[in-house]
Amino acid sequence: MIAAYLVLLIPFAGILFFAFAGHKQETGRLNVRFNAVTLAATVWLAINVLNNGTLLSSGKAFIVDSFNVYLIVLTAFIGLTTAIFSAPYMAHEKQLGKLTEKRLKLYYSMYQGFMLAMYLVLTTNNMGVMWVAMEGATLATVLLVSLYRTPESIEAAWKYFILCGVGIAQALFGTILLYYAAVQIGDGDNALLWSVLFDNARQLNPEILEIAFVFMLIGYGTKIGLVPLHNWLPDAHSEGPTPMSAVLSGLLLNDALYAVVRNKMLVDGATQSNLAGLLMMGFGMLSFLVAALFLHRQKDIKRLFSYSSIEHMGVMTFAFGMGGPLATFAALLHMTVHSLTKSAIFVTVGHAAQLAGTQNMERIRGLIKTQPKIGWGLLIGTVAIAGFPPFGVFTSEFLVLLATMHSYPWLAPLLLLGIGIAFAGLFRHIQPIVYGEQPEGQLPIKANLWPVMIHLALVLWLGLAIPDFLANWFSQATLLISGSMPL
Amino acid sequence: MNIEQQDFYTQAILSMAALVGLTSFLMLGQGRLLRLIFVFALQGLLLTLTTALAAYSLNSPHLYISAMMTLILKVIFIPWMLRRQVLLMNMHRDVEALKNNTAVMLGGAGLMVFSYYVLHPIVQTSSAIMLNALAVSLSVVLLGMLLMISHRQAVAHVVGFMAIENGLFFAAIVATKGMPMVVELGVAFDVLVAAVLFGIFFFHIRTSIDSLDVDRMNRLHEVDQ
């Protein structure tokens, strides 16, 4: 359990350190080190869980099981690679005069704050604390979205703040209802602990939990970016600094979905029906289709990929909602590969936008000619996210499709159609960006593409062969969520 | 069971719920920002009294801490901050023209009925006080959202946002004697940070569009112009 405390303490120390030490030349590299140490702690934690099974801290305040431990490692990993990318990127933004030292201090401090909130969402055993941490993540990122202080970024941050704040308030109402149902069967102090609730899920009042779940789905769904509550997401992604888009897409959306799935497990236990799952399927499918259509009319490159995030979150919500071992396994795999691919894409997109000096796709052209590494990175990333074999996204989407054909065959054509539309939407924009005529006066910039290469290599690896320990891990998590083993 | 047959605590809580609901309606129809903030502070005060009452009657001393936090945050700090902003921006004379006051109020009434309808399945499992308290808190949440939709000023949006939190707190206190302490502290911390951030945002919005009228924040569009 010490490892779990370390995972929380290191980012906390990071917030204080960056807030008080101020900004210096090497702050970016220190941020990398903070994240590297956290990653080491999470790996230690993962090994513990692998050897000993579910860990519950002595006061039952924290729980680490096979479901959240891989998300914790994934969070730390993406946190580290994004930090590696953000150090030179932010230094470049400062050179361009877009940012001051004070803002950079805020940026690094809040970067750690965001990571802390993410780890807290994942490790806590208390559904109330989970809500607090989720809201904390909003508060930590809201100033980062407006980091450039342009009227657009302030507007985006305000929208993000209000919509996510109001949305997530619904989740708190759901949590209160859950607590109300729990107090009726047990003592008040432990009534919000997930492990206690899960053990007694059958005794919880099903009617109250049904109502509670609707509120939770709306609340956390705002954060996942489910249509029609998605409006904040493209704005926040396009106006905030690019490293922020990478972690928002790669981590925050996952964690919100994680909160919904944890709640779904309780509701399923209480109602003994798939009502919660059907709701998730509906929202997921709607988000998937709407986002796929919206991909076509984007002009801003970061908005394009934020719609792609909504689309993929829709697929995951759909798959988790469908339930069943195969769909759950596919959803867990999709969570992993989407996070890896999407954060890699945002890294290249950030460099591409810096290179062209704009985010407008009509003016980013000929990347392969100007700086081949960035161009190829973007192209391969897009190929991967569009679901081409042999990348991991293909594998997981294929599994989702298989599960759909098995359980709800009439939904499979919709899913295929959506994948087709999204594929067309991505490539009609990306093709001229990477191959088109190179505009005058663009010079190569200093770019760190290691994160991209590592992420894409991992996604490729996951597509070709899932290593044994990971497959085993996903199977354990699937067993926990859906009650039976896949395959 | 008739209300006269209930014990004193139940009667008092039900009256409080009615008053909290009333303040939400008062806020909804209010066009002047300073009065809006005053009514909001009043709602916070009612919430503080409810919490103190629950702490006394149910003999759960940790609710006194919640009451103190509510008093400091919702009755003193946030209204003070908002009032300062309004005076600074010289907006206290502005009457915010609600486009259709009658429709908004009717919508509010509809939301209250809707809250009772949504929570009706709970009635089998609990007493009348639970159903009323939960339904009123849900309607305060929904009325807060309606307030945010119908008003244009950023200050009114913040009041709506905080009123939503008030509704949630009311539900937590009345239905379940308050959440566990760690959750309450966490939520209070979030509210405090949110309030500070709102202050920072007022400053930025003002410098960027020279007004706090949110309708003028319209640069980000989905559709091409």
Side-chain angles (χ1 to χ4, degrees), chain A residues 79 206 209 310 332 415 468 472:
Chain A
L209 280 215
I310 298 176
L332 291 171
L415 206 60
D468 262 355
N472 194 14

Side-chain angles (χ1 to χ4, degrees), chain A residues 132 135 142-143 149 151-152 155 157-158 162 165 170 173 176 179-180 205 211 215 239 294 298 303 307, chain B residues 118 125-126 130 138 141 145 148 161 164 168 176 178 180 190 197-198 201 204-205 217-220 222:
Chain A
V132 170
E135 172 79 1
V142 74
L143 282 178
R149 303 277 193 267
E152 288 87 0
E155 183 184 333
W158 178 259
I162 291 287
Q170 313 301 315
F173 194 78
I176 292 169
Y179 184 59
Y180 172 56
N205 183 318
I211 301 173
F215 282 99
E239 299 306 326
F294 266 108
Q298 298 310 313
R303 283 185 91 89
Y307 271 102
Chain B
V118 165
T125 67
S126 60
M130 284 307 169
L138 179 58
V141 171
M145 287 165 84
M148 293 173 85
F161 186 90
I164 290 174
L168 295 171
T176 61
D190 278 348
L197 284 181
F198 276 128
F201 264 95
H204 290 312
I205 294 174
M217 290 210 280
N218 51 12
R219 287 172 192 249
L220 297 171
E222 206 44 73

Side-chain angles (χ1 to χ4, degrees), chain A residues 83-148:
Chain A
I84 294 175
F85 154 62
S86 89
Y89 182 88
M90 291 321 249
H92 188 82
E93 296 286 281
K94 190 171 161 255
Q95 272 177 2
L96 291 177
K98 281 172 154 180
L99 293 170
T100 59
E101 294 209 338
K102 218 174 134 195
R103 303 253 183 86
L104 280 177
K105 181 171 120 181
L106 175 81
Y107 170 78
Y108 284 115
S109 178
M110 283 301 116
Y111 190 94
Q112 292 294 328
F114 172 75
M115 295 309 290
L116 174 67
M118 290 290 96
Y119 294 127
L120 194 57
V121 171
L122 291 172
T123 51
T124 183
N125 190 17
N126 188 320
M127 303 310 279
V129 173
M130 189 186 271
W131 184 88
V132 170
M134 212 67 214
E135 172 79 1
T138 313
L139 298 175
T141 44
V142 74
L143 282 178
L144 292 183
V145 172
S146 68
L147 197 70
Y148 294 128

